[in-house]
């Protein structure tokens, strides 16, 4: 039996434009609470392309806006606005047709990342995914990549 080549792909800002979705969610959040539009750049910088822990963002929002509850925005805002571009969709279809086994490997919270995967239809375009919260390991730890290979049925050498 010939092994299929394995393609491990990041989700945020690779398969999907996470920053654009966060920007749209942040814009709606600010408008929905009658907060200054000019704070969008501050919020985007604070978010750092998703690298800032959500609890730190929640705390900063609470401090800046007097105790405002931002949990819904942080839990669902960007995830609900994620889209998959046609070129990315087509590339995944071509990769699978070419014999590649495709697995998403993403750091983040399982519920939020799986919402993005399902809302965009990626769940039907890849063989599976591994999310750091569920795996108990974050990129670049090798264990998360071994888990992704196992999802695809293509164990990495030495596993």
């Amino acid at each position: 039996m010939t092994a299929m080549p394995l393609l491990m792909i990041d989700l945020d800002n690779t398969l999907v434009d996470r920053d654009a979705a966060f920007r749209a969610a942040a814009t709606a959040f600010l408008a929905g609470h009658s907060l200054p539009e000019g704070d969008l750049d501050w919020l985007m910088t604070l978010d750092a392309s998703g690298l800032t822990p959500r609890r730190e963002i929640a705390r900063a929002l609470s401090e800046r806006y007097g105790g405002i509850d931002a949990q819904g925005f942080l839990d669902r805002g960007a995830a609900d606005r994620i889209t998959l571009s046609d070129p990315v969709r087509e590339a995944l279809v071509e990769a699978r047709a070419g014999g590649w086994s495709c697995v998403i490997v993403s750091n983040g919270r399982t519920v939020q990342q799986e919402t993005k995967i399902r809302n965009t239809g990626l769940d039907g375009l890849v063989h599976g995914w591994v999310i750091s919260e569920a795996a108990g390991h974050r990129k670049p730890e090798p264990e998360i990549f071994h888990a992704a290979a196992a999802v695809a049925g293509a164990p990495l050498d030495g596993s």
Side-chain angles (χ1 to χ4, degrees):
M1 179 165 145
T2 305
M4 290 179 30
L6 177 59
L7 178 61
M8 295 186 227
I9 318 162
D10 184 41
L11 178 62
D12 292 326
N13 293 326
T14 301
L15 288 173
V16 297
D17 189 344
R18 183 250 177 231
D19 287 347
F22 187 84
R23 179 176 289 280
T27 299
F29 171 78
L30 293 171
H33 291 282
S34 301
L35 299 171
E37 289 177 30
D39 283 1
L40 181 59
D41 288 337
W42 169 79
L43 190 48
M44 293 301 295
T45 300
L46 176 65
D47 176 62
S49 292
L51 296 177
T52 305
R54 302 298 86 183
R55 68 184 172 281
E56 288 181 30
I57 294 176
R59 183 176 32 79
L61 289 169
S62 179
E63 289 171 3
R64 188 171 182 115
Y65 302 121
I68 197 164
D69 180 16
Q71 205 56 53
F73 156 63
L74 294 174
D75 286 344
R76 295 176 307 281
D80 289 347
R81 289 173 172 79
I82 289 284
T83 59
L84 185 65
S85 71
D86 288 338
V88 170
R89 182 181 312 281
E90 291 163 10
L92 286 171
V93 168
E94 287 178 25
R96 286 189 61 156
W100 287 84
S101 186
C102 304
V103 180
I104 297 170
V105 183
S106 183
N107 287 336
R109 293 181 300 145
T110 304
V111 170
Q112 188 176 54
Q113 298 303 75
E114 286 184 346
T115 297
K116 294 174 191 178
I117 290 166
R118 288 189 177 93
N119 285 354
T120 58
L122 281 165
D123 57 334
L125 297 172
V126 298
H127 292 92
W129 53 87
V130 177
I131 311 298
S132 62
E133 181 182 67
H137 297 281
R138 295 180 56 81
K139 294 182 295 180
E141 296 170 3
E143 293 88 349
I144 196 167
F145 297 106
H146 285 275
V151 164
L156 299 175
D157 291 338
S159 61

